[in-house]
């Protein structure tokens, strides 16, 4: 039986992410399956912090189109063009985008009207190609900061391994 995902909201953020990194490493040991890794990573982050929506938008047409991948939460929009919304901006500019208040972000795409803040990170593979973006939405304003960017970046590093199954 797989372990239950712990609620890490009471831990200092840095420690919480270290716990998730270790769980991700253990759960994905021996696997090189990207979809399995996306699903597992989404579940870990989503349930550890009780977010509104947590998941991946995959690059299905390079520099043009993202399509929803494994996620947890309420329904996500299916397709997002590069350059559109927070996800499309992170993909087009290949950078972490933190939006403390989605109402103040022109072009924010509201898949769930309860979303108030958001963080999106680029996800690259071992060759450096953009594979996806990772999107986390919160019901709270200002839920994400640089500690989240650092912690989530470490979780996304799984996708840039050299292709061999993780030890
Ligand atoms: N808010 C995102 C769209 C994806 S969902 O929120 C799940 C954006 O503006 O790109």
């Amino acid at each position: 039986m797989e372990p239950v995902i712990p609620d890490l909201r009471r831990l200092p953020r840095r420690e919480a992410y270290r716990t998730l990194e270790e769980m991700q490493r253990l759960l994905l040991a021996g696997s090189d399956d990207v979809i399995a890794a996306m699903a597992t990573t989404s579940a870990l982050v989503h349930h550890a912090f009780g977010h509104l929506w947590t998941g991946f938008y995959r690059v299905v047409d390079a520099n043009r189109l993202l399509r929803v991948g494994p996620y947890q939460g309420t329904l996500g929009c299916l397709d997002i063009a590069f350059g559109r919304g927070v996800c499309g901006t992170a993909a087009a500019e290949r950078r972490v985008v933190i939006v403390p208040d989605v109402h103040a972000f022109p072009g924010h795409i509201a898949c769930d009207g309860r979303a108030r803040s958001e963080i999106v990170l680029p996800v690259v593979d071992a060759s450096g190609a953009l594979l996806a973006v990772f999107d986390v939405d919160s019901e709270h304003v200002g839920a994400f900061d640089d500690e989240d960017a650092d912690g989530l970046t470490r979780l996304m590093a799984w996708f840039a391994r050299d292709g061999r199954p993780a030890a």
Side-chain angles (χ1 to χ4, degrees):
M1 202 176 86
E2 297 296 345
V4 171
I5 300 172
D7 184 335
L8 301 177
R9 278 173 279 199
R10 286 170 186 276
L11 282 188
R13 207 74 66 88
R14 208 175 290 272
E15 207 178 309
Y17 281 114
R18 270 203 294 268
T19 302
L20 290 184
E21 210 183 324
E22 180 61 5
M23 288 188 76
Q24 183 197 46
R25 192 182 68 76
L26 292 171
L27 289 166
L28 298 176
S31 172
D32 63 355
D33 190 296
V34 167
I35 299 297
M38 288 182 174
T40 301
T41 304
S42 299
L44 283 173
V45 173
H46 190 78
H47 294 287
F49 295 116
H51 291 311
L52 185 63
W53 197 95
T54 310
F56 292 82
Y57 277 91
R58 299 161 299 124
V59 177
V60 291
D61 190 356
N63 297 316
R64 289 176 188 272
L65 189 66
L66 299 165
R67 180 160 295 146
V68 78
Y71 69 91
Q72 299 270 323
T74 49
L75 280 171
C77 322
L78 291 192
D79 288 350
I80 298 177
F82 272 58
R84 295 275 323 281
V86 188
C87 290
T89 300
E93 300 178 10
R94 276 184 171 241
R95 64 179 177 90
V96 178
V97 181
I98 296 176
V99 179
D101 178 356
V102 298
H103 293 159
F105 186 95
H108 167 258
I109 301 165
C111 299
D112 185 323
R114 291 171 298 169
R116 286 292 172 271
S117 63
E118 179 163 356
I119 183 170
V120 182
L121 299 95
V123 183
V124 298
D125 67 14
S127 74
L130 187 71
L131 194 63
V133 296
F134 185 60
D135 177 17
V136 189
D137 292 7
S138 168
E139 287 178 80
H140 309 288
V141 171
F144 306 104
D145 61 19
D146 287 348
E147 273 190 357
D148 297 283
D150 289 350
L152 293 172
T153 296
R154 292 165 72 99
L155 291 173
M156 294 310 119
W158 187 93
F159 298 91
R161 293 160 318 115
D162 59 11
R164 290 196 307 267

